[in-house]
Amino acid sequence: MWGRTIKGVYCLDRKKLNLLKQNRTILVEKVRESLTSVLPITVIVFLLCFSLIPVPNSILMAFVIGAVFLILGMGLFTLGTDLGMTPIGHHVGSAITKSKSIFLIVLVCFLVGTIITVSEPDLQVLAEQVPNVPNMVLILAVAVGVGIFLVISLLRILLKIKLAYLLIGFYLIVFILAQFVPLDFLAVAFDSGGVTTGPMTVPFIMALGVGVASIRSDKDATNDSFGLVALCSIGPIVAVMILGILYNPESAVQSAVNMPDVSNSVELWKLFISALPRYFEEVGIALFPMVVFFLGLQAWKLKLSKHQLIHIIVGVGYTYIGLVLFLTGVNVGFMPAGNYLGQQLGSLAHPGVLIPIGALIGYFIVAAEPAVHVLNKQVFDITAGAIPAKALSTSLSIGVAISVALAMMRIVVGMPIMYLLVPGYLIAAVLTFFTPPIFTAIAFDSGGVASGPMTATFLLPLAMGACSALGGDVTTDAFGVVAMVAMTPLITIQILGLYFKMKTKPGEEHAGESALIMDNNHEKREIED
């Protein structure tokens, strides 16, 4: 008996050891990927600092340490989403749809959408920028907006409603509402749509869509699993617009960026260490409601095995530490550098140089967004590699490069944001009638994932610094860069879809659909197991 007990303990310890070794190997690979993503934007900043813009040593060194935090944080975060957040979304989506109770689906989806949005760290940042509206009022309004649109998104999957029809209809409502929103508040409203679909929201929502779509066996189920992020990005825009109309705020001024002013390496390190407790608390508060919700659903409905539960808990732990390091790096290191570079570039004799530099930064910065890695993996897995990750990433980078260039041009010439958003979304809407449905869904999802923490904490401060140096109105000219980043991928990725459509022969297209169905059925079996 004792022999069997010792053998059992030995086998259990061996499994844990193998699991740790496997996670360590994957983590090394994830860190290597994040290094590849962050290195280009770091090189660009270095080139600017050593050639065109003289930067104080304290700001430059804070940027370097911030990059290290960013690389480690992104590696841990992406590993955590694979082990924790994505499986939670799969299991929750599958469990609620198996019940076949519409009331349960609506209730759980609304609660999940609201809780996960309150958990989004970027939403806290947005709330601080909006005057005359209490922070909690704004946060709850946006969270309810996401909850409602998540319900609509999942019902769309179950009822097989075409995504393009909903997108065109809801964006039409958005632009009608825009006519009644105060001008100083308009750009902030559009920015909110991109900010709220960040590193916490995107992995869970996308996985939830796959879980719900897994109960369908028709050929369109895989296509319909995309599009949740796209629709959930509209909810915050509508919510913030309604708040703008009700509260009628006169302005929306962002708080000043604190520039690091340290005289030695010890003070610089203390700058980061002193910021860590704040982000440990913020991310902890953000994750806590989601963890409680999952554990409650586990006790009531899921009944996952101990092995599955340990995997998910470990994944949530990785996600927690990764987000803390990531947010510390971007807020303490990247945000001051972005704001300072923007001020100096705007002060040059030829401020038009902002446009090509902005395009270059935009092309590479999107690769450093955590949620972009989640989307790329989701697309690759669900389409069984039918849509190459390289093609998707390149299209996304081109779209963001164009968007940042347009945002900088708007700052230089003082162009109203609606002059760009209206034709941009009109082109995106027209393309939906010619692009394969899966590319339309991926394109609109990409708009949400591209505009994450890196955009909010580097590009937005860059735009604000440039706008201040040029003497423009920050509330109308600098705000809106997130909205631009969220818009242009809708066009470039749909154009990629048109290219694939023209290149694909009828027989190959049928084979591709069969591959997608097989992969969808395999995903369904994995969730059931």
Side-chain angles (χ1 to χ4, degrees):
M1 178 178 176
W2 282 107
R4 287 197 299 269
T5 304
I6 293 172
K7 186 177 179 181
V9 171
Y10 173 75
C11 291
L12 183 61
D13 289 341
R14 189 174 180 182
K15 286 182 179 179
K16 289 181 179 179
L17 184 61
N18 290 337
L19 177 62
L20 289 173
K21 287 181 178 179
Q22 183 182 5
N23 287 347
R24 186 171 59 188
T25 303
I26 298 172
L27 178 59
V28 171
E29 182 62 32
K30 295 291 185 183
V31 171
R32 188 181 294 117
E33 289 177 4
S34 62
L35 175 63
T36 305
S37 301
V38 176
L39 192 60
I41 186 65
T42 307
V43 171
I44 292 171
V45 171
F46 275 5
L47 290 175
L48 289 174
C49 293
F50 292 118
S51 60
L52 199 61
I53 306 297
V55 175
N57 290 334
S58 57
I59 295 177
L60 181 60
M61 290 309 299
F63 175 81
V64 172
I65 296 177
V68 175
F69 272 68
L70 192 67
I71 292 166
L72 293 175
M74 190 187 302
L76 287 166
F77 172 81
T78 52
L79 175 60
T81 55
D82 288 349
L83 295 177
M85 300 305 292
T86 300
I88 290 176
H90 279 304
H91 290 304
V92 171
S94 180
I96 62 174
T97 48
K98 282 179 181 177
S99 69
K100 301 188 183 300
S101 169
I102 296 297
F103 174 77
L104 180 64
I105 293 172
V106 169
L107 178 63
V108 172
C109 289
F110 177 77
L111 289 175
V112 166
T114 303
I115 291 172
I116 200 71
T117 304
V118 173
S119 302
E120 184 60 60
D122 290 352
L123 182 55
Q124 309 291 333
V125 177
L126 177 71
E128 293 292 336
Q129 318 312 317
V130 184
N132 302 331
V133 179
N135 287 7
M136 190 49 63
V137 171
L138 179 68
I139 291 170
L140 289 178
V142 171
V144 168
V146 173
I148 292 172
F149 273 78
L150 181 58
V151 170
I152 294 172
S153 302
L154 296 180
L155 289 178
R156 177 194 75 83
I157 295 175
L158 295 176
L159 300 176
K160 304 180 184 180
I161 301 172
K162 192 172 181 180
L163 176 65
Y165 296 158
L166 291 179
L167 290 173
I168 292 172
F170 283 125
Y171 273 110
L172 185 61
I173 293 172
V174 165
F175 284 107
I176 291 173
L177 273 177
Q179 307 305 311
F180 305 96
V181 178
L183 186 62
D184 289 341
F185 206 67
L186 193 59
V188 177
F190 277 98
D191 280 353
S192 68
V195 168
T196 48
T197 48
M200 279 297 302
T201 312
V202 169
F204 191 87
I205 286 180
M206 293 193 70
L208 190 64
V210 175
V212 173
S214 67
I215 67 168
R216 287 172 44 187
S217 58
D218 58 285
K219 65 174 184 173
D220 295 322
T222 301
N223 294 358
D224 286 345
S225 68
F226 292 100
L228 272 75
V229 175
L231 286 170
C232 290
S233 297
I234 302 174
I237 301 176
V238 174
V240 176
M241 280 186 169
I242 292 173
L243 281 180
I245 295 170
L246 296 177
Y247 281 85
N248 194 23
E250 297 177 359
S251 61
V253 181
Q254 189 180 34
S255 56
V257 176
N258 293 322
M259 295 294 174
D261 184 16
V262 294
S263 57
N264 56 62
S265 57
V266 174
E267 290 182 4
L268 181 62
W269 181 243
K270 286 181 179 179
L271 191 68
F272 282 85
I273 295 300
S274 63
L276 279 174
R278 172 189 170 188
Y279 294 109
F280 269 114
E281 181 182 356
E282 284 187 6
V283 177
I285 293 173
L287 278 173
F288 183 73
M290 192 66 252
V291 172
V292 171
F293 176 84
F294 169 70
L295 292 177
L297 200 62
Q298 155 71 8
W300 172 51
K301 196 80 176 176
L302 298 179
K303 309 295 184 183
L304 300 179
S305 67
K306 184 179 179 181
H307 180 71
Q308 289 175 304
L309 202 57
I310 290 174
H311 259 273
I312 289 174
I313 292 172
V314 170
V316 172
Y318 280 131
T319 302
Y320 176 55
I321 298 172
L323 266 181
V324 170
L325 294 177
F326 183 90
L327 291 175
T328 303
V330 295
N331 283 286
V332 180
F334 270 60
M335 183 181 286
N339 189 269
Y340 187 85
L341 286 174
Q343 290 180 33
Q344 299 305 309
L345 288 170
S347 302
L348 294 175
H350 301 286
V353 73
L354 275 166
I355 299 172
I357 289 177
L360 186 63
I361 292 174
Y363 183 88
F364 288 106
I365 202 170
V366 68
E369 290 288 2
V372 169
H373 294 267
V374 177
L375 176 68
N376 283 340
K377 184 179 184 301
Q378 191 93 322
V379 171
F380 184 83
D381 289 347
I382 290 179
T383 64
I387 301 175
K390 181 66 175 176
L392 187 66
S393 299
T394 302
S395 301
L396 195 56
S397 294
I398 291 172
V400 175
I402 294 171
S403 66
V404 179
L406 291 174
M408 294 303 164
M409 180 194 71
R410 200 170 71 83
I411 291 171
V412 173
V413 302
M415 180 186 297
I417 191 172
M418 297 303 288
Y419 286 12
L420 295 174
L421 290 181
V422 171
Y425 276 102
L426 184 61
I427 293 170
V430 171
L431 284 172
T432 62
F433 294 101
F434 305 98
T435 306
I438 190 169
F439 277 95
T440 296
I442 292 171
F444 277 84
D445 279 351
S446 298
V449 304
S451 49
M454 286 297 294
T455 304
T457 57
F458 188 83
L459 286 180
L460 184 55
L462 180 76
M464 293 179 67
C467 188
S468 299
L470 289 167
D473 188 339
V474 172
T475 60
T476 57
D477 296 337
F479 279 93
V481 65
V482 180
M484 293 299 300
V485 169
M487 180 192 72
T488 47
L490 316 184
I491 300 172
T492 56
I493 291 182
Q494 287 195 95
I495 291 174
L496 174 67
L498 288 175
Y499 173 78
F500 267 74
K501 184 178 180 181
M502 290 186 292
K503 284 288 185 180
T504 303
K505 297 177 183 179
E508 293 176 351
E509 185 176 353
H510 178 73
E513 287 181 357
S514 300
L516 294 182
I517 295 171
M518 288 174 63
D519 187 71
N520 184 54
N521 290 336
H522 175 67
E523 186 74 43
K524 180 180 178 181
R525 286 194 298 271
E526 283 186 345
I527 292 171
E528 289 175 349
D529 293 340

